C-alpha cells in the first residue's frame, strides 16, 4: 500500500481491528454486474452471501446500495450498510441500518466501530467495482463465488495479483464454487 490519502489501512496490522473481507460473485469473464444489477440469479449464492455477512457491517458504494435497497425495500437486514458516496446524504435521510461515509477512511472507521459494537471480527466490502478496487490493497481476505457463466456486463471485479493471495478454502454447491483467498504474508 502507498501513502495515498484516504487509502484504507485495516490490513496493515493484524491487531488493528476486524479483518477486511471483499465478498463478490464473479463470472468467468470477470463480470460482476451490468445496468440491471447482477446478470444471473443463483439462490445458493444469495444464501451464502447472507450467511457470511449477516450480523456484520458491510461497506458498499452508493450505486450498489441503491440497487439493493430498490430490490429489497431498504438496506440489508441485520447488517449495518456503510454507504460510501461523495454526494451529500445525511444519515437522517437513510433508513435504520444504513449510514453514510464521505470517503474510504470514514467508511472503514464507521464499519470498524460497528464491528466492535457487534463483537464481530470481520467487515465485508460488497461492491461495486470502484469500491472493490479501492479496498483491494487493504483487504485481508476475499470470498469469491465463481459463477460458471460469461455474461455480458460492463461492471467487472478488479484485476488482482494471484501471487499475493493463497486459496485457503473451496466449497462447491452445484455449479458454483465459494472460494476463500487469504493475503500471503499477512501473518
Amino acid at each position: 500500500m502507498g501513502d495515498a490519502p484516504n487509502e484504507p489501512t485495516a490490513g496493515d496490522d493484524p491487531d488493528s481491528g476486524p479483518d477486511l473481507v471483499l465478498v463478490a460473485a464473479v463470472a468467468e469473464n470477470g463480470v460482476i454486474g451490468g445496468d440491471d444489477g447482477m446478470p444471473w440469479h443463483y439462490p445458493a449464492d444469495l444464501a451464502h452471501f447472507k450467511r457470511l455477512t449477516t450480523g456484520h457491517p458491510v461497506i458498499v458504494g452508493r450505486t450498489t446500495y441503491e440497487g439493493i435497497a430498490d430490490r429489497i425495500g431498504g438496506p440489508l437486514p441485520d447488517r449495518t450498510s456503510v454507504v460510501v458516496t461523495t454526494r451529500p446524504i445525511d444519515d437522517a435521510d437513510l433508513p435504520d441500518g444504513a449510514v453514510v461515509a464521505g470517503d474510504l477512511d470514514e467508511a472503514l472507521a464507521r464499519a470498524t466501530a460497528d464491528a466492535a459494537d457487534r463483537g464481530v471480527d470481520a467487515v465485508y466490502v460488497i461492491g461495486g467495482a470502484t469500491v472493490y478496487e479501492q479496498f483491494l490493497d487493504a483487504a485481508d481476505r476475499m470470498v469469491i463465488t465463481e459463477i460458471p457463466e460469461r455474461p455480458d456486463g460492463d461492471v467487472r471485479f478488479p484485476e488482482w495479483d494471484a501471487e499475493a493471495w493463497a486459496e485457503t478454502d473451496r466449497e462447491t454447491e452445484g455449479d458454483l464454487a465459494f472460494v476463500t483467498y487469504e493475503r500471503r504474508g499477512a501473518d
Side-chain angles (χ1 to χ4, degrees):
M1 284 188 14
D3 293 321
N6 294 327
E7 191 167 322
T9 57
D12 288 350
D13 176 358
D15 298 322
S16 68
D19 284 348
L20 186 62
V21 183
L22 306 186
V23 58
V26 183
E28 293 171 349
N29 59 356
V31 167
I32 60 173
D35 291 333
D36 296 324
M38 290 190 308
W40 55 74
H41 179 76
Y42 286 96
D45 177 51
L46 297 174
H48 177 260
F49 176 84
K50 183 178 180 179
R51 280 191 309 273
L52 194 63
T53 62
T54 294
H56 294 79
V58 296
I59 297 174
V60 59
R62 181 194 49 79
T63 302
T64 301
Y65 169 78
E66 288 174 349
I68 291 168
D70 286 348
R71 239 182 351 270
I72 67 171
L76 293 165
D78 303 319
R79 286 153 273 203
T80 298
S81 294
V82 180
V83 182
V84 182
T85 182
T86 56
R87 288 189 190 166
I89 301 174
D90 189 309
D91 281 346
D93 294 333
L94 291 173
D96 287 345
V99 296
V100 173
D103 62 40
L104 302 179
D105 288 337
E106 184 182 359
L108 192 55
R110 292 192 94 162
T112 298
D114 187 76
D117 289 348
R118 291 173 177 271
V120 296
D121 61 0
V123 167
Y124 291 96
V125 176
I126 65 168
T130 301
V131 174
Y132 286 132
E133 185 174 2
Q134 291 172 324
F135 279 101
L136 182 61
D137 287 341
D140 300 296
R141 191 166 63 246
M142 294 190 294
V143 179
I144 305 294
T145 301
E146 294 178 348
I147 301 295
E149 295 183 24
R150 301 182 69 76
D152 290 334
D154 58 352
V155 183
R156 297 182 180 282
F157 195 76
E159 296 286 325
W160 49 282
D161 178 6
E163 295 298 314
W165 298 89
E167 182 178 320
T168 60
D169 190 49
R170 176 177 289 267
E171 298 174 36
T172 58
E173 186 170 330
D175 291 339
L176 300 179
F178 307 115
V179 186
T180 301
Y181 297 93
E182 300 276 345
R183 183 175 297 283
R184 292 184 192 273
D187 10 294

